Amino acid sequence: MSSQRIPGWINYAVVPLANILMAFFVSALVFVYVGVDPIDAAKVMWEGAFGYSEGWGYTLYYATGFIFTGLAVSIAFHCQLFNIGGEGQAYFAGLGVALVSLYLGDVLPFWLMMPLLIIAAGLFGAGWAFIPAYLQAKRGSHIVITTIMFNFIAASIMAYFLVEVLKPPMSMAPESAVFPVSSWIPKMHDFLGAFGYEMTATPLNLTFIFGLICAVLVWFFLWNTRWGYEIRAQGFNPSAAKYAGIDPIKITLLTMAVSGMLAGFFALNTLSGDMHQLKLNYVAGFGFTGIAVSLMGRNHPVGIVLASILFGFLYQGGAELAFEFPGIDSKIIVVLQGLIILFSGALEYMFKPSIEKLYLKATGWRADKEEAQNA
Amino acid sequence: MKGIFKIAAVSVLTVSASLALAAPKFAPAVVYDQAGKNDKSFNEAVYRNGVLRFAADFGPVVAEFEPQSETQMEQGLRRLAQKGRSPIIAIGFTFGSAVEKVAKEFPDLQFAIIDMVVDLPNVQSIVFAEHQGSFLVGALAAMASETDKVGFIGGMDIPLIRKFACGYAQGAKYVNYEVEVFENMTGTTPAAWGNPTKGAELAQAQISKGADVIFAAAGGTGIGVYQAAADAGVYAIGVDSNQNYMQPGTMLTSMLKRVGVAAYDSWKEARDGTWKGGFKVMDLTNGGVDWALDDYNSSLITADMKSWVEEIKADIKSGEIVVHDYMSTNSCEM
C-alpha cells in the first residue's frame, strides 16, 4: 500500500475526525452510565457553546488561550523538543504583563501600552523558556524534565510576588491591584459595538485576532523562512542538520525562545483582556492542555486553531452542562477531554490503516489503471 | 428590527414585573469557591448545614455551581443571574470582585457574599465576628493548659486569619495574663488550606516548645494538627464546624462559625420576603459564632470551665468585654 496514493486530506481531516467521533461515542457511553441522555447533553453543550452570542464569546475566549499554548508546543515539537513548560511560561509572562500594566499604565497612553504589553508578555515567556533551552543545548539536561521543574519554580516565584510585592495592603486574596484602564485590551463586544454590531458582553477580546495573526506568522515562520527550515531540519534528523551546517545550539535556543514567547502571549488574553489583575494560578491548566491541542492539530497552525475551538467548545459547553444537569459533576468534562486526547493522541493511528484501505478500495479502479499504465 | 422590538417588549415586561413584585422570584442558588462543595471544611459547611438542610425543609430548590477556574467564578455568577436566580450566595472572599461586577449588572436580583463586604444595595454582605468566638476558645485553652503555653496554627496568612489569632490570644491572656501564645501560619497561598502534613509539623514544633492546647484555623490543614495533638496527648481546638468528633478525647472544643446557617437564613429571608441588602454581622449574640460542647468533649470541660466561659460569653454580649477586631485596625492590640 503506497502512502503516496493517500491524499493529504485523508490524513489531516478524515483520520482526526474519525478519532473525535470515536471519542464522542465513548463519551456518550459514559453519559449513559451516569444517567444522562447523551443526545440531550450534546444539545446542551452545543447550545451553550455556539447557540447564542454569549456562548460564542466564551468559546472563542477559551480558544484564544489554547491557540497560544498550542502553537507554543507545536513549534517546539517541530524541532523534536517537547516543551511541557507552557504552563510556567504563560504564568511567568503574567508577571511581565502585570508589572508593565501596574507601573506604566497610568503614565502611558493605550496605543503605547499595547506594543509594550506584547513585548513584556513575549519577553518574560521567552526568558522563562530560555533557561531550560540553554541547559538542554549546552549541558544536555533533558528539556522535558527541566521544563516540568520550571513550572514549579514559576509557581513559587509568582506566589512570592503576589503575596509579598503585588498584593495591595489589607487585601486577603493573593492578587494584584486592578490594572489601569489604559492597559486593558478592548473587549470584542466594545470593539464591534463601535462599528454598530451588537454583541453580548463576554471576555472575548481583541487578543483573539492577535492569536489568529500569530497562527499565520507561525506558519510563515516554519515553512517559509530559513530559521523555520533549520528548525524543521533539526527536528527531522539532528545529525543530518548538523552535517548541513545548522548550529544545533542556536536552533534549540531559538526554538524554545519562540515557543516560550507564544506561551507568554497567553497572559495578554487572560490578564490584559479579561481579568485586569494578576491572580494566583491564573493559567489554570491551559498550558498543559496546549499539549493536547497541539497533538490534535497535528502541529499545524490550521489544525491548532481548529483544535483550540474544539477545546474552547468543551470548556464552555462543559460549564453549561454543569448548569443544566445539577446532578452531574462538572468534572465530567475532564473525562471528555481525556477521551479526546486518548483517541487523537495515544490512539492516533488506530483507524489510519483501515481508513486508508477503505479509501484505496473505493478508488481501487484508479490504482489498478495506474499500475496497468506503469506496466 | 423585529428582534429589537421583542427585546424592548421583554425589558418593559420585566421592568413592570419587578416594579409590581418588588422582590424577584425566589429561586435560590449558591456558588462555591474552587475548593468545591466537598472540601471537608468551609464550603462543605455551607453544603451540609445550608443547602441540604434547606432541601430537607423546603425541597431541593437551591441551584449549585462549582467553578473550575477563576474565569468561571464570574461566569457562573452571571449565568445564574441570567436565569433569574435569586438570592445567589457566593462563598468566600475570593468572590469579592465578581459579585461586585455581576450585582451591578443585575440590580433587581439579590446576592449575598460570605466573609467579604460588597457595598451595593442588592448585596447582603455576611461577615462573622470570628474574634469573639476565638476569644472564647482562647479562654478555654488557657483554662485547660497546664504549661501556660498555648498554640495557634493559621492557614493562609491573611487579615481574616490574623483576626482569629488575635481574638484567641486576647481570650487566653484574659484568663491568665502569664500565658504564652505561639503563633504560626501554614503558608501565604490558598494551598495553605489543604496541607495537613505541614499542619502536623507546625503542631509538633509548638508541642516541643511546651504548648499543650493548639487551636487550628486552617481548613483542611487542621486535620494534621488534630492528629499531631492526639499523638502527643495534648489538646486541640477545631474550627468552623463542630470538629469535636474527629479526635475524641483530645479535641478540647471547636470554634463554631455557622456559615451554613448564614446561607440558610439568607435564603429563608428571601423566601419569607424579609430579605434585606447591606451588612450582616454574625456574632455571639445571634449565634453566628460560638464554642462547641457535645458528648465528645463533655468529659474535658469541667463545670468550673463551663460556667467561667459562659460568664465571659455573657460579658462579651453585654459589651462588658470588648474584643479587639484585628481587621478594624490591621493590628492586634491587646
Side-chain angles (χ1 to χ4, degrees):
Chain A
M1 209 187 308
S2 145
S3 64
Q4 274 151 5
R5 284 201 210 103
I6 310 293
W9 58 269
I10 290 276
N11 242 323
Y12 289 105
V14 176
V15 172
L17 210 68
N19 289 333
I20 293 171
L21 286 178
M22 191 62 202
F24 280 149
F25 175 70
V26 178
S27 313
L29 295 181
V30 174
F31 277 111
V32 170
Y33 176 73
V34 296
V36 175
D37 183 354
I39 306 284
D40 279 353
K43 263 190 205 150
V44 166
M45 285 184 71
W46 185 264
E47 275 292 308
F50 298 116
Y52 58 114
S53 85
E54 197 193 346
W56 263 107
Y58 273 100
T59 304
L60 291 183
Y61 166 73
Y62 290 131
T64 311
F66 290 129
I67 289 175
F68 290 123
T69 53
L71 286 174
V73 175
S74 79
I75 207 159
F77 219 86
H78 278 287
C79 193
Q80 287 293 306
L81 294 168
F82 203 10
N83 178 13
I84 308 201
E87 187 85 8
Q89 288 143 21
Y91 199 5
F92 194 68
L95 183 64
V97 167
L99 291 176
V100 168
S101 302
L102 288 170
Y103 292 107
L104 297 174
D106 281 327
V107 190
L108 299 176
F110 168 77
W111 57 269
L112 240 167
M113 280 307 286
M114 284 308 109
L116 266 181
L117 285 175
I118 292 174
I119 292 168
L123 262 184
F124 273 69
W128 199 247
F130 191 82
I131 309 169
Y134 179 85
L135 294 173
Q136 165 80 64
K138 292 273 194 185
R139 293 277 174 269
S141 321
H142 204 285
I143 199 100
V144 171
I145 309 294
T146 46
T147 48
I148 290 178
M149 295 199 294
F150 266 66
N151 289 335
F152 288 96
I153 301 174
S156 304
I157 290 181
M158 295 300 282
Y160 168 78
F161 268 95
L162 276 168
V163 172
E164 303 292 335
V165 184
L166 295 171
K167 187 172 81 170
M170 271 316 273
S171 155
M172 291 204 270
E175 50 194 37
S176 77
V178 176
F179 302 158
V181 182
S182 71
S183 64
W184 295 10
I185 292 176
K187 292 268 165 78
M188 202 61 109
H189 57 91
D190 291 331
F191 183 73
L192 291 179
F195 294 100
Y197 293 100
E198 288 298 323
M199 194 187 160
T200 330
T202 64
L204 181 63
N205 55 76
L206 289 184
T207 320
F208 176 62
I209 293 170
F210 182 62
L212 295 181
I213 294 172
C214 281
V216 175
L217 289 179
V218 164
W219 169 80
F220 185 82
F221 177 74
L222 275 178
W223 281 280
N224 291 284
T225 65
R226 217 181 97 186
W227 280 351
Y229 169 77
E230 292 184 353
I231 288 174
R232 287 183 300 124
Q234 183 170 328
F236 277 123
N237 191 332
S239 355
K242 197 172 180 190
Y243 186 72
I246 295 171
D247 179 0
I249 293 174
K250 191 189 93 184
I251 290 303
T252 303
L253 294 177
L254 172 78
T255 311
M256 283 303 287
V258 175
S259 175
M261 178 185 79
L262 287 164
F265 288 156
F266 175 85
L268 297 173
N269 182 45
T270 314
L271 297 183
S272 311
D274 179 40
M275 285 181 189
H276 307 312
Q277 63 186 147
L278 184 61
K279 290 187 180 182
L280 200 73
N281 256 337
Y282 84 92
V283 184
F286 274 61
F288 293 122
T289 315
I291 300 167
V293 169
S294 176
L295 270 177
M296 248 199 91
R298 299 287 168 121
N299 300 316
H300 191 284
V302 175
I304 287 167
V305 170
L306 292 176
S308 298
I309 293 174
L310 174 76
F311 273 84
F313 157 71
L314 286 178
Y315 256 60
Q316 167 59 13
E320 293 293 313
L321 212 56
F323 277 114
E324 296 294 329
F325 299 98
I328 66 169
D329 198 300
S330 57
K331 292 204 171 62
I332 185 109
I333 225 60
V334 180
V335 177
L336 248 169
Q337 283 171 4
L339 285 168
I340 288 186
I341 295 167
L342 178 72
F343 280 102
S344 52
L347 303 176
E348 193 184 346
Y349 297 113
M350 190 166 70
F351 293 115
K352 205 177 162 205
S354 37
I355 287 176
E356 283 179 353
K357 213 179 269 172
L358 216 71
Y359 172 81
L360 287 178
K361 211 176 237 173
T363 56
W365 62 276
R366 221 199 280 162
D368 290 342
K369 215 160 81 179
E370 265 173 46
E371 263 165 46
Q373 268 175 358
N374 288 346
Chain B
M1 195 59 216
K2 206 176 158 196
I4 293 171
F5 176 71
K6 219 172 177 178
I7 291 165
V10 169
S11 53
V12 166
L13 274 178
T14 43
V15 166
S16 56
S18 60
L19 282 177
L21 285 167
K25 189 169 69 78
F26 177 68
V30 60
V31 194
Y32 301 101
D33 77 13
Q34 284 177 60
K37 68 179 176 188
N38 293 316
D39 67 347
K40 299 260 177 285
S41 175
F42 194 60
N43 290 282
E44 195 162 325
V46 175
Y47 176 61
R48 294 204 181 281
N49 305 328
V51 177
L52 290 184
R53 202 158 67 89
F54 201 80
D57 293 354
F58 304 105
V61 286
V62 179
E64 298 168 273
F65 183 65
E66 292 175 88
Q68 305 292 313
S69 69
E70 289 284 349
T71 318
Q72 284 189 355
M73 291 171 83
E74 192 182 319
Q75 188 190 1
L77 270 178
R78 187 171 287 115
R79 284 290 284 138
L80 288 168
Q82 278 166 345
K83 292 185 173 225
R85 287 282 171 184
S86 175
I88 305 170
I89 301 185
I91 309 302
F93 60 84
T94 41
F95 275 102
S97 51
V99 168
E100 193 164 352
K101 276 189 227 167
V102 179
K104 264 186 202 152
E105 288 168 33
F106 297 90
D108 293 337
L109 299 179
Q110 297 160 342
F111 295 86
I113 182 163
I114 288 177
D115 273 358
M116 179 84 191
V117 178
V118 174
D119 197 8
L120 287 170
N122 60 327
V123 180
Q124 198 174 62
S125 306
I126 304 169
V127 292
F128 288 80
E130 292 95 350
H131 52 297
Q132 295 181 349
S134 302
F135 190 95
L136 292 186
V137 297
L140 278 169
M143 291 175 210
S145 173
E146 282 164 13
T147 57
D148 284 353
K149 290 181 177 116
V150 297
F152 173 86
I153 292 173
M156 184 177 163
D157 189 4
I158 49 174
L160 179 70
I161 294 303
R162 291 195 187 176
K163 184 177 172 183
F164 278 89
C166 184
Y168 178 73
Q170 288 176 76
K173 301 257 186 202
Y174 176 82
V175 164
N176 175 2
Y177 198 77
E178 300 288 300
V179 101
E180 203 180 333
V181 183
F182 305 125
E183 194 182 309
N184 286 105
M185 297 288 179
T186 310
T188 49
T189 66
W193 302 123
N195 194 345
T197 319
K198 191 159 178 200
E201 284 167 14
L202 289 172
Q204 278 156 5
Q206 292 190 347
I207 292 164
S208 69
K209 283 199 283 181
D212 59 355
V213 187
I214 299 175
F215 176 34
T221 303
I223 297 166
V225 177
Y226 311 146
Q227 183 66 55
D231 292 346
V234 305
Y235 293 128
I237 299 173
V239 78
D240 289 352
S241 40
N242 186 344
Q243 296 180 317
N244 291 354
Y245 70 92
M246 291 179 81
Q247 300 287 350
T250 55
M251 291 299 288
L252 185 64
T253 180
S254 295
M255 196 289 254
L256 302 176
K257 179 177 170 183
R258 296 198 168 103
V259 278
V261 177
Y264 179 95
D265 287 350
S266 186
W267 290 321
K268 188 153 186 309
E269 285 163 18
R271 192 174 176 275
D272 301 340
T274 57
W275 193 93
K276 276 201 297 275
F279 204 58
K280 195 169 167 188
V281 181
M282 303 289 286
D283 57 10
L284 276 180
T285 315
N286 60 17
V289 293
D290 209 342
W291 68 287
L293 181 64
D294 61 11
D295 289 348
Y296 293 105
N297 68 339
S298 53
S299 59
L300 308 177
I301 307 283
T302 62
D304 287 347
M305 285 165 81
K306 194 184 164 196
S307 62
W308 197 0
V309 77
E310 286 299 331
E311 195 181 306
I312 294 172
K313 189 169 150 185
D315 284 349
I316 295 176
K317 279 187 194 170
S318 69
E320 205 155 304
I321 299 176
V322 179
V323 185
H324 176 72
D325 176 359
Y326 178 90
M327 287 169 79
S328 65
T329 58
N330 211 16
S331 65
C332 190
E333 290 154 24
M334 295 280 185

